[in-house]
Amino acid sequence: MPEVRLVGPNGEQVGIVRVEDALRLAEEADLDLVEVAPDARPPVAKLMDFGKFKYESAMKARDARRNQANTVLKEIRFRLKIDPHDYGTKKGHVERFLTAGDKVKVMIMFRGREQSRPEMGMRLLQRLADDVAELGHVESTPRLDGRNMTMVIAPHRKKAEARDDARREKERRRVEEGDSADEAPQTSAPTS
């Protein structure tokens, strides 16, 4: 005679009962009998509203997808002989990417005789890493790959944290602008 270990709708243990009795209890309570552990001896079944369970599972999965943030690998290219102003501009891009929570792959392209001076590329990458140290850390050290030298810098903060901070900052600015609009002096039309 087949038996199941029955769990009630609130998680309470009912005990080991025959399948027919479990089905009758489910029907009386207007619930479904769901087998939750078929490999157990005896199998475990639970009284639950299966439609509600599926709905709640779908909502949890949707919330998890919404809160998931994909870290993107941004790439920025340098030349060995870079102008100080161009370096500053590209460093600003790297800082912006790291602030947004993205990883940055920094690549130095060597041409001609520059290939015989990889230590200059190492110095440039080390300088960049030092300049953005408060926003990120070196995830993969500089390494020569053919005519290019690459290094990956990862942000200290996760993408989701950066996104939440940006959202809070935007909300704070919106509230401040709303307050300043309320404080603006009211002009009245002249009466004649």
Side-chain angles (χ1 to χ4, degrees), residues 21-142:
D21 294 338
L23 286 169
R24 183 179 46 74
L25 286 170
E27 196 171 310
E28 287 173 4
D30 196 28
L31 295 171
D32 301 311
L33 182 67
V34 180
E35 188 176 38
V36 291
D39 296 334
R41 291 286 161 242
V44 179
K46 184 174 181 179
L47 295 173
M48 68 168 70
D49 184 350
F50 192 64
K52 181 179 176 184
F53 172 76
K54 280 176 48 177
Y55 174 77
E56 288 173 351
S57 297
M59 290 295 106
K60 283 180 188 173
R62 196 178 95 204
D63 286 343
R65 277 195 309 274
R66 181 184 305 141
N67 293 332
Q68 177 182 2
N70 296 327
T71 301
V72 179
L73 181 66
K74 301 284 189 172
E75 185 173 307
I76 194 146
R77 295 171 183 232
F78 284 81
R79 290 291 317 280
L80 193 57
K81 296 175 183 167
I82 187 168
D83 183 70
H85 182 267
D86 293 340
Y87 173 81
T89 302
K90 292 199 178 210
K91 183 184 83 161
H93 292 316
V94 171
E95 289 172 344
R96 188 179 74 226
F97 295 149
L98 291 172
T99 304
D102 294 320
K103 291 182 181 182
V104 182
K105 179 180 180 182
V106 183
M107 181 183 294
I108 295 183
M109 301 173 294
F110 293 101
R111 288 195 350 215
R113 288 181 147 176
E114 293 174 351
Q115 293 178 39
S116 65
R117 304 293 303 273
E119 69 278 359
M120 291 177 69
M122 289 288 247
R123 277 199 301 261
L124 182 60
L125 288 176
Q126 189 57 50
R127 176 179 159 204
L128 179 67
D130 292 342
D131 288 348
V132 297
E134 70 277 355
L135 298 173
H137 60 280
V138 176
E139 187 176 74
S140 77
T141 56

Side-chain angles (χ1 to χ4, degrees), residues 159-176:
K159 177 95 176 187
E161 295 170 10
R163 190 183 63 205
D164 291 343
D165 288 349
R167 189 180 303 139
R168 279 194 292 272
E169 178 65 21
K170 188 175 180 182
E171 180 67 22
R172 186 187 63 77
R173 269 199 230 115
R174 191 180 61 76
V175 168
E176 283 179 0

